Amino acid sequence: MLSNTHFSMAVHLLCALAWNDGKVVGSEMLARSVGTNPSFLRGLIGDLRKAGLVDTKQGKGGGSTLARPANSITLHDVYLATETAPVLKSHVPDCGSICPVARGMESLLNQVNNRLESTLAAELKQTTVADLVAEHID
């Protein structure tokens, strides 16, 4: 589940942009807030830009802003922008095995994964970046 920190860093970044309320925020400042290097963060910002969650301005005085209101960006939007692997990581069994357990495992795990993805999506759609800022940031 959420096998890397991209999701949590993206949520942090989007909350920082929402808290800055339309001001252009540079990657150096965002990197200090998130606790990572600016180069890595720029890659993450690129993913969020492709997903339509942030706008960027290059050059002197450049940086990032939210591409749309914080109350319209759900955690599910962030999840889709940052996670590419299924929720449940599993090994690839030998489907040609003589073992009936091995032959059925891929189908079984796919079904579990589909239910997990559905449940996760429903939960993440309930919370927006604006909710997080309002509830947790002074």
Side-chain angles (χ1 to χ4, degrees), residues 28-75:
E28 298 277 337
M29 181 182 287
L30 289 168
R32 281 193 301 275
S33 177
V34 173
T36 191
N37 69 61
S39 178
F40 170 80
L41 197 68
R42 283 189 284 275
L44 184 58
I45 290 168
D47 291 340
L48 297 173
R49 185 181 62 245
K50 286 179 201 164
L53 303 179
V54 299
D55 285 328
T56 57
K57 178 182 171 189
Q58 295 187 2
K60 187 171 173 83
S64 301
T65 58
L66 293 180
R68 55 188 213 234
N71 64 1
S72 73
I73 300 172
T74 68
L75 292 183

Side-chain angles (χ1 to χ4, degrees), residues 86 88 90 104-116:
L88 181 66
S90 63
M105 194 55 52
E106 184 173 21
S107 173
L108 178 145
L109 292 176
N110 284 340
Q111 290 175 22
V112 170
N113 219 355
N114 290 339
R115 290 193 311 267
L116 284 172

Side-chain angles (χ1 to χ4, degrees), residues 1 3-4 10 12 15 17 22 27-28 31 33 37 53 55-56 67 74 78 80-81 92 101 103 113 125 132 138:
M1 289 194 178
S3 61
N4 59 47
H12 184 142
C15 285
L17 293 176
S27 59
E28 298 277 337
S33 177
N37 69 61
L53 303 179
D55 285 328
T56 57
T74 68
V78 182
L80 293 175
V92 178
V101 174
R103 288 192 313 268
N113 219 355
K125 287 177 181 179
L132 295 177
D138 298 333

